[in-house]
C-alpha cells in the first residue's frame, strides 16, 4: 500500500459519490473469462481525504503467452512465486466492498475480477463505472478511447483534467 496525493481533482470529484471509489486495472493472460487468469491487480482507493495505491502480481497457474507478456511487461518469471488470487482475495475484498469500482473498459476488468472471486469461492458485486463509456459521452468525436488518448485531450495545458485515469 502506498498513500498517494497526486490526484486531487479526481479525489474531489469522487468525494461527490458519497462512498469510496476504487479505480481498478487488471492484467490477465488473455481475454477469455473462462480460460484466462489475472496476473496483476492494481488499485487506487479514494476514500474521503485519503488516496491509497495497492498492487499485487498474481500467479495465474498457467503460462503467459509471449504476446501478452510483451503487451503487459509481465513475464512468467515475475509471477512464478507470486501469490494465487485466492491468497490475496482476503486483502482485496475489503478494499472493494462498499465502493464504486471504476475501470477503463469495466466489462473486462470488473467481470474478470468477479470471476476470480467466484473461483476463490467468494461472491463479489459492486456498482461499476466504465471510463470507456464515460469518455465516449464526453468526447463523442473520438470513438476509440484508449487510456493513452484520453489524457492527451483532457490534460491539455489550456484545460483542467476531466475524469481521466491514472495518467494526469
Amino acid at each position: 500500500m502506498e498513500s498517494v496525493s497526486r490526484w486531487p481533482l479526481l479525489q474531489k470529484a469522487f468525494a461527490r459519490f458519497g462512498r469510496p471509489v476504487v479505480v481498478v486495472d487488471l492484467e490477465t493472460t488473455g481475454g477469455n473469462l473462462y480460460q484466462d487468469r489475472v496476473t496483476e491487480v492494481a488499485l487506487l482507493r479514494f476514500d474521503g481525504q485519503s488516496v491509497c495505491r495497492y498492487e499485487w502480481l498474481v500467479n495465474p497457474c498457467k503460462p503467459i503467452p509471449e504476446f501478452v507478456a510483451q503487451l503487459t511487461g509481465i513475464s512468467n518469471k515475475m509471477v512464478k512465486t507470486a501469490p494465487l488470487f485466492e491468497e490475496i482475495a482476503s486483502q482485496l475484498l475489503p478494499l472493494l466492498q462498499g465502493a464504486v469500482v471504476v475501470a477503463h473498459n469495466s466489462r473486462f476488468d470488473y467481470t474478470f475480477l468477479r470471476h476470480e472471486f467466484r473461483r476463490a469461492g467468494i461472491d463479489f458485486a459492486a456498482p461499476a463505472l466504465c471510463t470507456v463509456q464515460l469518455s465516449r459521452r464526453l468526447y463523442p468525436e473520438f470513438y476509440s478511447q484508449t487510456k493513452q488518448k484520453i489524457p492527451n485531450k483532457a490534460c491539455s495545458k489550456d484545460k483542467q483534467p476531466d475524469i481521466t485515469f491514472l495518467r494526469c
Side-chain angles (χ1 to χ4, degrees), residues 27-99:
E27 301 300 341
T28 66
T29 59
N32 186 307
L33 294 169
Y34 301 101
Q35 296 176 2
D36 292 308
R37 301 297 295 269
V38 169
T39 58
E40 182 183 35
V41 178
L43 307 176
L44 278 179
R45 182 178 166 91
F46 293 81
D47 193 359
Q49 296 300 313
S50 67
V51 181
C52 294
R53 180 170 56 192
Y54 303 85
E55 296 176 76
W56 295 269
L57 284 176
V58 179
N59 185 333
C61 297
K62 66 179 291 177
I64 300 171
E66 184 59 32
F67 168 78
V68 174
Q70 291 294 317
L71 184 68
T72 65
I74 299 172
S75 68
N76 288 305
K77 184 178 179 181
M78 292 169 66
V79 298
K80 184 177 182 178
T81 60
L84 305 175
F85 186 88
E86 52 266 18
E87 294 172 338
I88 68 163
S90 63
Q91 299 168 54
L92 183 56
L93 187 61
L95 298 172
L96 298 169
Q97 286 179 319

Side-chain angles (χ1 to χ4, degrees), residues 2 10 17 24 30 33 50 52 55-56 61 75 80 85 103 144 146 151 158-161 167:
E2 175 185 335
L10 280 177
F17 282 57
V24 176
L33 294 169
S50 67
C52 294
E55 296 176 76
W56 295 269
C61 297
S75 68
K80 184 177 182 178
F85 186 88
S144 174
T146 65
D158 61 336
K159 181 178 176 185
Q160 285 293 319
R167 305 235 192 259

Side-chain angles (χ1 to χ4, degrees), residues 17 19-22 96-103 106 110 114 124-130:
F17 282 57
R19 62 181 1 184
V21 174
V22 180
L96 298 169
Q97 286 179 319
V100 175
V101 174
V102 176
S106 65
Y110 176 73
R114 288 194 69 186
F124 168 72
L129 175 64
C130 179

